[in-house]
Amino acid sequence: MRYAMLILPSANRVYAESSVGLTGAELEIFADAVLGGDLGDITSDELAGVPYVTFESRELDERAIRYLANLSSIYALFAIEGGGLLRPVPLVRLDRFDDDLITIPKYAGKTNEQFTKLLLNATVMGSAFAGAMLDRRLTVLDPLAGRGTTLHQAMMYGYDAYGVDRDQKDYEAYSGFIQRWLKEKRIKHRTESGPVRRNGKVVGRRLQITLAATKEAHKAGDTQRIDMINADTTRTLEFWKPRSVDLVVADAPYGVQHGSRTADRGLTRDPLDLLRAAAPVWAGVLRPGGALGLSWNTNVADRADAAEALEDAGLRVVDSDAHRRLVHRVDQAIRRDILIARKPD
């Protein structure tokens, strides 16, 4: 059979121009990881003047459709029938909450929400837990969490969301938003927050929230966790045990408006300094079979050098033609790429 995927409109014009190509690459990554490679002839097509991504497959079963429903840019899916008629295929997404959890926060430097979902998806698919994407409560750590876009996407999927960020203003902005949002949505939750002390000294601040998506989920004990730390990312293993996280998802500073900070060198425009210092720590918190997904600006750091930093941390880069097609232009100064690396089982 042949299927046609309608692309979700993007408010970001530049990202919209890249979304068809990115969707084709993401679709191929899903096919290889959870669909047995059973998709072919993935192409960009125009039907009645509207751009689609089309592909061939044997008839998709319910589980395959549930995987595809979570593609970052999917708006609708159709089966193409005789005479070119489009039959809608119902999509049931993982999303547990209203999408304003992701769309309401607006601030300078916010990563495009569709790209954040793409990065998380590619990281899941690169892990040993790809097949359990729909069924298991995975644990996602964003070690450069900022104001929480990745944490919000993890929450939408029903996953546990952990974050680290050294910027106090970002930590406070995230803390204020998520607590206000949960109250306004009347979502049952419990919050604990305050300083973290080691040997009598304050080493960070911590926000911990336990929540349930519905009253029924709360009664059944079906709860999710948010755990946000205000501290340097290289201290991650001081807050979580080794081998305790399924996925690490990091969007590195692009070295344009904002640089990276390391404990040894302070502010630097080179994200490789941050990556070399932090990657061994991030790898340490990953479970065997877990995956790390990294996005960064290739104008300030070469792909081969970034891959080498991850390999030196004991991770194995997951590379394919589809992964290499995830690179795209953000603006004149930023050309963004993705690397996925897996911790040996």
Side-chain angles (χ1 to χ4, degrees):
M1 295 188 63
R2 192 153 190 85
Y3 291 87
M5 186 185 306
L6 185 61
I7 303 300
L8 183 70
S10 175
N12 184 308
R13 179 186 59 80
V14 176
Y15 192 82
E17 292 172 355
S18 303
S19 61
V20 172
L22 290 172
T23 298
E26 185 183 9
L27 181 59
E28 192 172 320
I29 289 169
F30 266 71
D32 291 341
V34 294
L35 303 177
D38 190 33
L39 268 68
D41 193 23
I42 301 172
T43 58
S44 300
D45 254 326
E46 195 169 282
L47 305 175
V50 178
Y52 289 81
V53 172
T54 63
F55 60 92
E56 290 183 354
S57 170
R58 60 187 174 187
E59 187 168 4
L60 296 172
D61 61 23
E62 180 182 353
R63 189 166 182 86
I65 294 169
R66 286 183 63 206
Y67 281 121
L68 296 181
N70 297 293
L71 289 169
S72 62
S73 294
I74 192 169
Y75 188 56
L77 181 65
F78 302 91
I80 303 177
E81 299 188 339
L85 296 177
L86 300 182
R87 173 173 57 84
V89 177
L91 299 177
V92 180
R93 296 175 172 84
L94 279 172
D95 296 357
R96 284 190 162 204
F97 303 100
D98 295 339
D99 62 5
D100 61 3
L101 171 63
I102 293 176
T103 58
I104 283 179
K106 304 290 184 185
Y107 51 89
K110 180 182 178 181
T111 303
N112 179 283
E113 297 97 339
Q114 287 173 237
F115 175 76
T116 297
K117 190 173 183 180
L118 169 61
L119 177 58
L120 176 57
N121 283 345
T123 308
V124 176
M125 292 298 111
S127 75
F129 319 122
M133 176 188 187
L134 305 174
D135 315 299
R136 175 176 166 181
R137 173 164 294 120
L138 299 174
T139 302
V140 180
L141 167 67
D142 184 347
L144 304 169
R147 300 194 182 189
T149 305
T150 300
L151 306 189
H152 295 158
Q153 183 57 60
M155 282 179 60
M156 290 289 282
Y157 276 0
Y159 298 165
D160 289 337
Y162 299 171
V164 184
D165 203 276
R166 65 176 294 154
D167 190 295
Q168 184 174 333
K169 290 182 179 179
D170 283 346
Y171 171 83
E172 291 174 349
Y174 172 76
S175 177
F177 169 78
I178 192 62
Q179 293 183 77
R180 183 172 63 254
W181 187 87
L182 290 169
K183 289 177 182 177
E184 289 177 352
K185 294 291 182 176
R186 298 184 178 180
I187 293 172
K188 189 78 173 179
H189 65 284
R190 184 178 71 253
T191 301
E192 296 179 22
S193 62
V196 180
R197 291 182 171 85
R198 300 278 190 273
N199 300 319
K201 294 183 178 180
V202 174
V203 296
R205 299 166 67 197
R206 191 169 206 162
L207 171 71
Q208 294 178 298
I209 302 175
T210 303
L211 66 140
T214 63
K215 293 181 180 178
E216 293 74 20
H218 183 262
K219 289 179 181 178
D222 181 13
T223 58
Q224 298 171 235
R225 291 183 61 203
I226 300 171
D227 196 352
M228 179 67 167
I229 303 291
N230 179 204
D232 191 279
T233 189
T234 57
R235 306 186 72 171
T236 294
L237 283 168
E238 296 181 27
F239 302 98
W240 295 286
K241 295 179 180 179
R243 302 183 176 192
S244 61
V245 167
D246 297 309
L247 309 169
V248 173
V249 180
D251 185 27
Y254 297 150
V256 181
Q257 291 181 322
H258 305 289
S260 307
R261 288 187 179 273
T262 62
D264 294 334
R265 296 186 57 183
L267 182 65
T268 172
R269 294 295 175 188
D270 185 357
L272 288 174
D273 291 336
L274 172 65
L275 190 57
R276 292 184 182 114
V281 179
W282 301 344
V285 80
L286 272 176
R287 289 191 176 97
L292 183 152
L294 172 74
S295 62
W296 81 103
N297 180 10
T298 63
N299 288 337
V300 296
D302 183 78
R303 180 183 180 89
D305 291 334
E308 182 181 18
L310 297 182
E311 295 274 0
D312 288 346
L315 304 175
R316 296 176 183 170
V317 172
V318 180
D319 206 7
S320 70
D321 177 66
H323 286 91
R324 288 182 174 269
R325 296 203 311 273
L326 294 175
V327 63
H328 60 284
R329 177 179 175 273
V330 176
D331 60 31
Q332 196 169 20
I334 301 172
R335 184 173 176 268
R336 186 165 54 195
D337 201 357
I338 289 177
L339 271 174
I340 306 298
R342 180 165 163 172
K343 187 168 184 175
D345 298 1

